[in-house]
Each structure stands twice: as structure tokens, then as C-alpha cells.
């Protein structure tokens, strides 16, 4: 066996679970211990400073310089008491990961003398040398200034010896260079209008927050095996590898018992997460072998998203201690399930009401229906934009594959709510409602909680499903920053609610009673958004045909999905909602295209390298053994009989030649296409070329490589096989 594969496998076989002692404390005793949350601030700030920061957290009001100084000092003292020596502004550049630049608290103040300092100025704003972060042409490199600015609504935290302060990242000229700033803007837009709409039903609602509960799927692979697979190291996915004899057919991994080594890892990263105030509660095996999921309690969207990013980081760091690598890629292994990051979303009020939770009486149900139907309408109007928000090279492998939600956006609400909406649509007459009609409607609306109790037929194949008291956006990729999907979802919801409120107000002004006005408006929306609703199997081919008939888009790959950002109405939407200016949107489109091109380019290169430097040499070596053997057999046996005796070897030699040639030819074709694509200046055209001409060759290349894998002697095959990556414990 090749040395690297053999020693990797040996290493794995001798691994033991690395148990970490998390002490005997209960989670409630240390939860959030390493975060500077509001309760902590109350302990160490003056009452006035506390009020200022509390209002900043809850209502987004600014923090003045004097109080910023006080908060900074308290934060520094707290961080130092936790062992921190450095601080960093923690931000989310458009690279897709988080960024940090560490500075020491310590400041020399004379020969041999130093103090620890950290003022409000350093807390509130920083200027990282940010010229190498993607900006989509917004910042010329000679005007490379980018600023990070404190986001008080997400608590600062200590990791290791560093105080991390969540921040937004903006250009000198004010444009957003990150994912957080547009998210915060979208949230404030939806929260304001949702509050106004709530006022129809309850004057006590003065504050609404959008909520997010994500579910993170991932694979674990042993470090030694990972290191022996250049493709996993470079791209996070296995670009080659024949399907193992056993995949997930037996469904024996799903919710099965978790292996000991994995449990030890999970306990460790959950402990670290809890210290950071990330409320992870759920863990289980997923469908594919070595695939797992973790999920927290939901939180306000901005904090939930920071927590997801932080968790991905914590997972990777903790995995290293357990000799695992976390694969967050959407499709690390062909032929078995990919990974997603379901985004459960709702809106909650200061009065403790979940606006997507049906109530106990017709009045609260009218409120529920208002938010429910408006969400469906928002998706209906903006399905393409929602699709664009989850576009990435990795997710392209997953969307539309037979176990992932399709690239066609539709909404599942369950048969009972479908009937409810259909009835509602029919029962409201165009003119004034008769008293009987009103009573009947009220009776009908009053029934929602009962019917929901029975409504357990959850459709797992829908990209956007109502699940009893929230919507679940399932098409989000496992590596994604949820901010992308959440910015779009909350923006389109804000726009829809604004339109709804305008129309309802207009009806009230022209004499309709409030409930009647709302019902009539809902009826209109139910009728108008009907075609986005789909209750059937989203994985089936029939749905593709049916969706086409309905006129729904099926944007199958990233470059095509990203084109949506170039549409006039999309620019107007983001602009009028105050979320992204046309310049910012164009920059984002450009950056996403660049990311796509780079991802495919790297995959293409690694495919070429592995094919030529690993697979072909092994195949040729084995072929030489066969040739020696065939020659020997023919020589010993001699004549026609000798030829017959060496028949199998000769056929093998021919087959191997065929696949070596095939592999080499296809790789060369792909390299030619890459060369052509690289000459293209325009990012959009280049992304199309990479998608349609370069990536289009991947399957053919893989076909030959995977054929060789099952022909060549296992002892000399250089790469750990999928069976080994997925099943070695
Ligand atoms: P599954 O989708 O695996 O069946 P659930 O339906 O129990 O699991 O969904 C659990 C997820 O939904 C959790 O991550 C939870 O935090 C989230 N969730 C529950 N209520 C809300 C809400 N009001 N807003 C946002 N997310 C929520
Ligand atoms: Mg789910």
C-alpha cells in the first residue's frame, strides 16, 4: 500500500477517544461565562452607562464617547480578569470566514514601564489594514481604508487570550464591506414595520425581533486520512473517489448511537460553545455515514448568526484536539447526502408572542394569518432573489441533487393550512361582508390551533417549509454565512409588510372595518401567491416539469442565480429598503462571482494535479506489473495457449490504458478550457465560462479516475478511499 495511505490508516486504527475534563459544574453555572453580556455589564458599569448600552443593544441607539470610554474600561478589566492580553475587532468580510487582527492591551509608558489600556475610541472604531479583503471595486487599493465599528447588540467574548469585539466592516466612504451591516439594516427594517403591523392587533407591542435558529450539518474525518487527501485539504471535498460498497442505503447512521470518539469531541466543543454563550442543545447523527448535526436554541438573528460563525470556528479548533477535521462543505462526498444549514426563522414581540404561532382565539389567529400569508407572498414575489442568496459553488452540488431541496423555490405549509387558506380565499366576498360571512370566518379562523396539532406531515423535500410555529429555509448551504439568506428574507418581508399595511390602511380609510380590511387584503395575497405553494415531493422530476408550467424559475447554478442581483427591481428593492445601495449590491455580485471562479479554479487545479501526479502513476505502475506478468505467462506457457492464459491480464492492461488515456485527455481538455476562461476579463462572463466549460468537464474526469480506483491493486492506490474516510473509526 502507498506509504501515506497506509500510515494514515494505521494511525486511525490506534486512536483513542480524547476525553476532556469539563469539570463537574452544571452548564447553567458556566453558560456565557466568557461573554461580556448585559448582566455582566450591569455589575461593572455605572447605572447611567448601563442604560446607554442597554438601549444600544435593544434599540440600536448610539453610544456617546464618554460612556464608550467607561464601557471600554469595564470590558478591558473584565477581559483581563479572564486572562486576555489582546483585543481584536471581530468582523465578517466577504471572504466567507471571520477576520480578526490582534492588538495588545499593553502600552509602554516609559523605560521599563507599561500599563494595560483600552479606551472608548479603540472599542468603537478601528482601521484594520484591510486592503486585501474583497471589496468588489468599492475601494481602490490606494484608498485602502476600511473601518470596523462596534456592534453593541452582540456581546463581546474572550477566546484564549483575546477579547473579541463583534463589529461591522465598512469602507472609508461608508459602503458595507461585510455581511453584518446589511443584515442589521434588513433587521431594523423588518422589525419596525412588523411592529407597526402588530399595532393593528395589540397596542402593547412596541418592539419586534426577528429570530433565527440554525441547524448545522457537518462531516468528521480523521486528521491523518484528511492529510493524505490533497483534495479535501484544498477544497473541502473529495473530487475523486469511487462510491463505497455500502453508503447510506441501510439508514443505520441516522440517529444511531454516536461513536465514543465523536461524543468526546462533541462534548468538548459544546463546552467551549456554552462558555461563549452559544446555546447549543441538540446533537445527533445525520443520514450519511460520519455526518452529524448540531443546533442551538433560537436567538435574535444578528446574535444567532454571530454564534453560528463562532461555532464553526470553535468546532474546527476543538476538532484538531481530537484528531478530527470538520468538513463543512455542502457536498464533500458524491453519492451520499450533502450538508445544509437549515435556517428556522420567525418574528417575536416584546410581549412574548411568536408571530408565526397560531393563537388561541380568532383575533390572535388573524395576527398569525397576517404574518403567515405575508411571508408566503414575500417568497412568491422574490423567489429568485432568495435563490440567489444561497448561491455558492459548494451549494450547486447539493441543490437539486436527489436528497437536497431543489433549486426551485417553493413554500410548503401542510395540507391543513392549505385547506384553510383555500377556504379563506373563497369565503370572503368582494363587497361588504354579511354578518353571517363574518361569523363563519371567525369560526374558521378560530380552528387553526386544533388543526395544527394534527398537522405533522412535515415535508422534508421543500426548500421553504412552515413547521408549526416558524418557517424553515432548508436550502441554505452548510458553509454559508446565514446573514446572506437572512438579509434577503428580512428585506423582502419588510417590503411586503409595508405594502400590506399601506393597502390595509387605504381600505380602512375608505370605510372598511379593520378586521375586514385585513381579511380582504389577505384574501388578495392568498390568491396572488398561490403558485409558490407546493405540497408534493420536491425531489421528483415531475416537480421540475410542474414548476416550469407554473412559471417558477429553476436557477441551477451560481452564475445564473447571481444574475438576479443585476436586475433593476432587485436594486430598487434593496435601495428603497435602505439595506444595500446599488453600488454595494454590484460590488457584492462581483465578489460572489470572484469567489465562485476561484473555488472552481482551485478544484480544477487539484483535479489535474491528483490525476497526473497520484492516480496515473499508480495506474501505470500496476499496469507494468500486469505487463510483466502477462509476458511471463505467455513465455512460460507459450503459443496460442499462452495468449489464452494471459487473457485477463491483457484485457486489464487494455482497460487501464483506456482509462489512463481518458483521464489524461479529459484533464487536458479541462486545462485548455481553463486557459481560455482565464483570459476573460469580465467577472460574469468568466464565471459562466468556468461553470459551463471548465466545471462541466469534472464528471468525465472523475469517471475515469474512479474506474481506475476499482481496477488498480488496492495495495498501491495512493489516496484513502471513500470507504476509509467514511467508515474507519
Ligand atoms: P427539526 O427541523 O430538526 O425537526 P425542529 O423543528 O425542532 O427540528 O427545529 C428546531 C430548530 O428550530 C431549532 O434550531 C430551534 O432553535 C428553531 N426554532 C424554534 N422556534 C423558533 C423560532 N420562534 N424562531 C426561530 N427558530 C426557532
Ligand atoms: Mg430542520
Amino acid at each position: 500500500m502507498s506509504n501515506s495511505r497506509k500510515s494514515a490508516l494505521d494511525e486511525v486504527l490506534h486512536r483513542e477517544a480524547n476525553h476532556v475534563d469539563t469539570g463537574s459544574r452544571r452548564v447553567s453555572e458556566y453558560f456565557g461565562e466568557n461573554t461580556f453580556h448585559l448582566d455582566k455589564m450591569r455589575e461593572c458599569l455605572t447605572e447611567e452607562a448601563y442604560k446607554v448600552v442597554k438601549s444600544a443593544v435593544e434599540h440600536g441607539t448610539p453610544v456617546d464617547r464618554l460612556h464608550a470610554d467607561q464601557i471600554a474600561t469595564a470590558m478591558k478589566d473584565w477581559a483581563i480578569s479572564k486572562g486576555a492580553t489582546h483585543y481584536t475587532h471581530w468582523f465578517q468580510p466577504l471572504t466567507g470566514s471571520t477576520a480578526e487582527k490582534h492588538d495588545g492591551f499593553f502600552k509602554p509608558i516609559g523605560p521599563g514601564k507599561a500599563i494595560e489600556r483600552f479606551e472608548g475610541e479603540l472599542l468603537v472604531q478601528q482601521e484594520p489594514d484591510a486592503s486585501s479583503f474583497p471589496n468588489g471595486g468599492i475601494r481602490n487599493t490606494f484608498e485602502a481604508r476600511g473601518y470596523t465599528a462596534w456592534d453593541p447588540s452582540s456581546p463581546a467574548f474572550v477566546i484564549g487570550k483575546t477579547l473579541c469585539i463583534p463589529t461591522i466592516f465598512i469602507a472609508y466612504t461608508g459602503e458595507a464591506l461585510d455581511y453584518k451591516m446589511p443584515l442589521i439594516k434588513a433587521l431594523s427594517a423588518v422589525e419596525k414595520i412588523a411592529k407597526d403591523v402588530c399595532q393593528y392587533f395589540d397596542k402593547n407591542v412596541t418592539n419586534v425581533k426577528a429570530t433565527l435558529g440554525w441547524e448545522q450539518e457537518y462531516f468528521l474525518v480523521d486528521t491523518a486520512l484528511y492529510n493524505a487527501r490533497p483534495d479535501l485539504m484544498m477544497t473541502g471535498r473529495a473530487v475523486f473517489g469511487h462510491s463505497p460498497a455500502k453508503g447510506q442505503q441501510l439508514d443505520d447512521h441516522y440517529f444511531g448511537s454516536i461513536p465514543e470518539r465523536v461524543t468526546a469531541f462533541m462534548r468538548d466543543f459544546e463546552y467551549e460553545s456554552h462558555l461563549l454563550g452559544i446555546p447549543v442543545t441538540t446533537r445527533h447523527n445525520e443520514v450519511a455515514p460520519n455526518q452529524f448535526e448540531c443546533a442551538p436554541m433560537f436567538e435574535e438573528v444578528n446574535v444567532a448568526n454571530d454564534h453560528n460563525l463562532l461555532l464553526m470556528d470553535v468546532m474546527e479548533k476543538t476538532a484538531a484536539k481530537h484528531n478530527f477535521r470538520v468538513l463543512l462543505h455542502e457536498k464533500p462526498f458524491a453519492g451520499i447526502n450533502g450538508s445544509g444549514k437549515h435556517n428556522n426563522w420567525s418574528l417575536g414581540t416584546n410581549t412574548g408572542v411568536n408571530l408565526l404561532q397560531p393563537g388561541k382565539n380568532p383575533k390572535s389567529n388573524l395576527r398569525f394569518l397576517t404574518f403567515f400569508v405575508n411571508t408566503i407572498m414575500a417568497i412568491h414575489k422574490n423567489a429568485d432573489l432568495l435563490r440567489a442568496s444561497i448561491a455558492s459553488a459548494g451549494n450547486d452540488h447539493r441543490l437539486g441533487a436527489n436528497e437536497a431541496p431543489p433549486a426551485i423555490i417553493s413554500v410548503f405549509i401542510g395540507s391543513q393550512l392549505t385547506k384553510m387558506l383555500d377556504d379563506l380565499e373563497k369565503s370572503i366576498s368582494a363587497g361588504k361582508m354579511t354578518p353571517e360571512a363574518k361569523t363563519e370566518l371567525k369560526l374558521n379562523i378560530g380552528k387553526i390551533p386544533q388543526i395544527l396539532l394534527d398537522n405533522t406531515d412535515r415535508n422534508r423535500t421543500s426548500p421553504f417549509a412552515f413547521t408549526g410555529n416558524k418557517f424553515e429555509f432548508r436550502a441554505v448551504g452548510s458553509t454559508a454565512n446565514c446573514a446572506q439568506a437572512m438579509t434577503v428574507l428580512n428585506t423582502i418581508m419588510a417590503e411586503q409588510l409595508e405594502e400590506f399595511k399601506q393597502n390595509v390602511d387605504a381600505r380602512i380609510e375608505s370605510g372598511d372595518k379593520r378586521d375586514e380590511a385585513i381579511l380582504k387584503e389577505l384574501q388578495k395575497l392568498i390568491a396572488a401567491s398561490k403558485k409558490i405553494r407546493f405540497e408534493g415531493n420536491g425531489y421528483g422530476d415531475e416537480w421540475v416539469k410542474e414548476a416550469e408550467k407554473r412559471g417558477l424559475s429553476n436557477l441551477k447554478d451560481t452564475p445564473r442565480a447571481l444574475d438576479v442581483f443585476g436586475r433593476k427591481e432587485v436594486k430598487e428593492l434593496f435601495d428603497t429598503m435602505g439595506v444595500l445601495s446599488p453600488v454595494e449590491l454590484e460590488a457584492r455580485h462581483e465578489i460572489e462571482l470572484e469567489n465562485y471562479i476561484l473555488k472552481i479554479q482551485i478544484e480544477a487545479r487539484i483535479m489535474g494535479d491528483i490525476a497526473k501526479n497520484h492516480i496515473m502513476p499508480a495506474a501505470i505502475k500496476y499496469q507494468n506489473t500486469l505487463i510483466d506478468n502477462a509476458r511471463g505467462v505467455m513465455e512460460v506457457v507459450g503459443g496460442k495457449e499462452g495468449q489464452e492464459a494471459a487473457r485477463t491480464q491483457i484485457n486489464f492492461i487494455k482497460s487501464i490504458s483506456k482509462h489512463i488515456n481518458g483521464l489524461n485527455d479529459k484533464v487536458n481538455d479541462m486545462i485548455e478550457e481553463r486557459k481560455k476562461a482565464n483570459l476573460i476579463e469580465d467577472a460574469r462572463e468568466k464565471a459562466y465560462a468556468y461553470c459551463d466549460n471548465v466545471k462541466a468537464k469534472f464528471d468525465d474526469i472523475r469517471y475515469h479516475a474512479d474506474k481506475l480506483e476499482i481496477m488498480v491493486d488496492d495495495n498501491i492506490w495512493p489516496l484513502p478511499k471513500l470507504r476509509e474516510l467514511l467508515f474507519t473509526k
Side-chain angles (χ1 to χ4, degrees):
M1 189 177 299
S2 88
N3 286 339
S4 59
R5 174 164 161 243
K6 183 170 185 326
S7 61
L9 282 166
D10 278 350
E11 214 176 312
V12 180
L13 289 174
H14 291 99
R15 292 243 198 264
E16 277 176 23
N18 173 9
H19 289 287
V20 175
D21 184 14
T22 51
S24 56
R25 292 189 300 164
R26 276 174 292 175
V27 179
S28 57
E29 289 172 53
Y30 58 81
F31 185 77
E33 192 170 273
N34 290 350
T35 66
F36 196 56
H37 49 75
L38 268 181
D39 285 348
K40 194 91 234 156
M41 291 195 218
R42 199 204 318 252
E43 283 169 27
C44 43
L45 289 175
T46 61
E47 202 168 315
E48 211 182 283
Y50 173 70
K51 267 195 200 141
V52 170
V53 77
K54 187 164 182 284
S55 163
V57 171
E58 285 166 7
H59 307 289
T61 50
V63 176
D64 62 89
R65 181 58 207 274
L66 179 75
H67 291 109
D69 274 339
Q70 287 185 24
I71 298 162
T73 305
M75 198 186 277
K76 175 203 70 184
D77 291 343
W78 169 80
I80 289 174
S81 79
K82 294 269 156 205
T85 55
H86 286 65
Y87 63 91
T88 179
H89 274 195
W90 183 77
F91 59 104
Q92 303 168 24
L94 299 167
T95 49
S97 42
T98 54
E100 40 198 83
K101 169 186 162 247
H102 297 198
D103 286 297
F105 285 125
F106 132 104
K107 184 186 178 209
I109 51 164
K113 271 197 191 156
I115 53 164
E116 261 83 35
R117 58 150 226 170
F118 183 61
E119 293 109 15
E121 204 181 338
L122 297 172
L123 166 67
V124 174
Q125 188 173 309
Q126 298 258 316
E127 189 188 332
D129 174 21
S131 48
S132 53
F133 290 110
N135 62 75
I138 288 178
R139 260 172 321 125
N140 295 324
T141 22
F142 51 83
E143 183 48 279
R145 275 183 288 176
Y147 291 97
T148 50
W150 178 36
D151 166 20
S153 64
S154 183
F157 52 91
V158 168
I159 282 196
K161 292 190 174 304
T162 306
L163 165 67
C164 301
I165 301 156
T167 56
I168 55 166
F169 181 40
I170 51 176
Y172 177 62
T173 39
E175 282 93 2
L177 294 173
D178 71 349
Y179 290 116
K180 195 190 242 291
M181 178 143 138
L183 176 65
I184 290 177
K185 288 178 170 175
L187 290 170
S188 80
V190 81
E191 288 166 2
K192 181 177 176 311
I193 183 66
K195 181 201 76 188
D196 293 347
V197 171
C198 279
Q199 297 265 320
Y200 285 139
F201 310 101
D202 182 357
K203 296 281 176 216
N204 294 321
V205 173
T206 53
N207 200 352
V208 173
K209 291 276 179 209
T211 51
L212 165 65
W214 41 263
E215 301 164 51
Q216 179 75 55
E217 292 181 329
Y218 60 95
F219 280 84
L220 286 178
V221 168
D222 190 275
T223 311
L225 296 171
Y226 174 92
N227 288 339
R229 289 284 310 214
D231 47 353
L232 285 184
M233 291 176 79
M234 295 292 124
T235 69
R237 81 176 180 103
V239 298
F240 294 125
H242 199 277
S243 302
K246 172 186 164 192
Q248 61 192 43
Q249 307 91 327
L250 299 177
D251 268 342
D252 49 358
H253 189 68
Y254 195 42
F255 280 51
S257 75
I258 302 175
E260 199 190 341
R261 252 186 88 196
V262 176
T263 313
F265 154 72
M266 286 177 171
R267 284 182 44 179
D268 197 5
F269 92 70
E270 282 167 1
Y271 175 68
E272 295 296 331
S273 302
H274 289 153
L275 288 174
L276 292 164
I278 308 172
V280 281
T281 50
T282 311
R283 53 161 108 127
H284 60 76
N285 285 0
E286 263 303 326
V287 178
N290 270 10
Q291 191 188 26
F292 306 93
E293 176 186 297
C294 80
M297 274 281 297
F298 67 92
E299 298 176 281
E300 186 271 305
V301 176
N302 177 36
V303 173
N305 186 44
D306 282 0
H307 280 166
N308 178 246
L309 292 164
L310 199 49
L311 174 110
M312 291 194 283
D313 211 38
V314 169
M315 264 167 78
E316 283 177 354
K317 285 189 181 124
T318 313
K321 287 195 257 166
H322 294 260
N323 298 303
F324 279 126
R325 292 300 300 230
V326 180
L327 303 180
L328 290 168
H329 194 285
E330 282 77 9
K331 192 77 178 176
F333 305 107
I336 55 172
N337 275 13
S339 301
K341 177 149 49 196
H342 296 177
N343 277 206
N344 295 275
W345 170 88
S346 188
L347 295 161
T349 69
N350 61 307
T351 53
V353 169
N354 172 359
L355 294 171
L356 289 172
Q357 168 90 54
K360 290 199 175 63
N361 52 49
K363 189 176 151 202
S364 49
N365 277 336
L366 187 56
R367 184 192 60 211
F368 160 73
L369 281 174
T370 295
F371 286 93
F372 180 66
V373 171
N374 273 288
T375 310
I376 298 172
M377 186 63 189
I379 306 301
H380 166 74
K381 277 200 291 194
N382 301 283
D384 288 358
L385 182 53
L386 203 63
R387 164 67 184 95
S389 77
I390 48 157
S392 71
N395 220 10
D396 280 359
H397 291 289
R398 178 176 161 260
L399 297 182
N402 59 3
E403 78 302 329
I408 308 162
I409 299 291
S410 65
V411 180
F412 168 86
I413 59 173
S415 55
Q416 321 245 22
L417 279 167
T418 300
K419 185 166 181 313
M420 167 95 209
L421 292 196
D422 291 347
D423 287 352
L424 209 61
E425 187 193 341
K426 281 184 231 126
S427 62
I428 310 170
S429 54
K432 277 251 172 278
M433 266 188 257
T434 62
E436 296 80 51
K438 275 184 200 167
T439 319
E440 199 205 330
L441 257 180
K442 286 217 158 134
L443 281 176
N444 230 330
I445 292 175
K447 283 184 200 149
I448 305 177
Q450 288 109 301
I451 62 176
L452 269 191
L453 279 182
D454 313 326
N455 189 13
T456 48
D457 56 333
R458 292 199 183 174
N459 183 333
R460 294 268 152 202
T461 66
S462 173
F464 200 89
F466 184 69
T467 52
N469 59 0
K470 61 194 180 288
F471 278 98
E472 182 168 341
F473 188 19
R474 301 212 180 97
V476 183
S478 47
T479 55
N481 182 322
C482 305
Q484 291 169 281
M486 283 294 119
T487 298
V488 167
L489 181 58
N490 288 290
T491 303
I492 63 179
M493 186 62 177
E495 195 253 0
Q496 175 53 37
L497 286 174
E498 279 185 7
E499 194 183 310
F500 172 79
K501 182 155 189 307
Q502 263 174 21
N503 292 343
V504 170
D505 288 349
R507 282 183 196 272
I508 294 173
E509 212 141 278
S510 47
D512 274 355
K513 281 266 183 342
R514 193 198 56 201
D515 285 4
E516 200 173 330
I518 292 173
L519 278 167
K520 282 184 187 164
E521 201 49 37
L522 289 180
Q523 179 192 36
K524 201 180 84 190
L525 297 180
I526 293 168
S529 62
K530 224 170 182 171
K531 73 173 186 189
I532 200 76
R533 275 160 40 199
F534 178 63
E535 301 292 306
N537 176 13
Y539 297 174
D541 288 338
E542 304 81 61
W543 172 226
V544 177
K545 287 186 209 125
E546 161 76 14
E548 202 181 329
K549 248 193 252 157
R550 292 190 191 186
L552 300 178
S553 310
N554 186 0
L555 302 168
K556 283 196 184 129
D557 54 62
T558 295
R560 282 165 182 84
L562 292 179
D563 274 348
V564 176
F565 289 142
R567 292 186 192 165
K568 191 167 151 278
E569 67 272 19
V570 169
K571 284 189 187 164
E572 277 169 14
L573 168 74
F574 279 122
D575 202 24
T576 47
M577 298 314 294
V579 174
L580 288 168
S581 70
V583 175
E584 289 173 313
L585 188 63
E586 267 166 42
R588 248 147 245 263
H589 186 184
E590 181 97 4
I591 290 165
E592 296 273 342
L593 288 168
E594 292 288 348
N595 281 344
Y596 178 81
I597 294 165
L598 290 174
K599 290 257 159 72
I600 304 294
Q601 192 175 56
I602 294 168
E603 289 197 358
R605 286 187 184 143
I606 202 75
M607 276 188 122
D609 289 355
I610 295 179
K612 296 202 176 205
N613 303 334
H614 297 247
I615 294 178
M616 279 191 235
I620 291 168
K621 190 168 164 194
Y622 181 52
Q623 203 183 30
N624 282 338
T625 313
L626 290 172
I627 289 168
D628 285 348
N629 177 276
R631 242 196 229 117
V633 169
M634 286 190 291
E635 200 181 296
V636 172
V637 182
K640 265 222 143 51
E641 207 184 326
Q643 291 232 334
E644 173 55 20
R647 179 166 54 91
T648 301
Q649 292 87 318
I650 293 169
N651 283 340
F652 247 67
I653 292 165
K654 286 186 195 158
S655 283
I656 290 175
S657 283
K658 187 179 103 194
H659 290 299
I660 290 175
N661 286 333
L663 184 59
N664 193 48
D665 292 348
K666 297 292 175 191
V667 166
N668 288 343
D669 285 354
M670 186 260 290
I671 292 173
E672 278 312 306
E673 291 298 341
R674 217 164 71 208
K675 281 185 190 153
K676 280 191 236 160
N678 286 342
L679 296 176
I680 303 173
E681 290 270 331
D682 179 73
R684 181 176 169 275
E685 266 177 53
K686 192 167 175 174
Y688 268 82
Y690 261 97
C691 180
D692 297 344
N693 307 334
V694 179
K695 183 174 168 254
K697 302 271 184 294
F698 287 3
D699 282 351
D700 281 348
I701 297 174
R702 183 172 188 151
Y703 167 78
H704 292 292
D706 291 357
K707 280 284 180 218
L708 288 171
E709 181 185 315
I710 51 171
M711 301 180 104
V712 171
D713 181 1
D714 186 62
N715 277 317
I716 62 167
W717 190 255
L719 303 166
K721 298 183 172 180
L722 297 199
R723 136 172 71 81
E724 291 156 348
L725 291 168
L726 291 168
F727 293 99
T728 316
K729 298 266 175 349

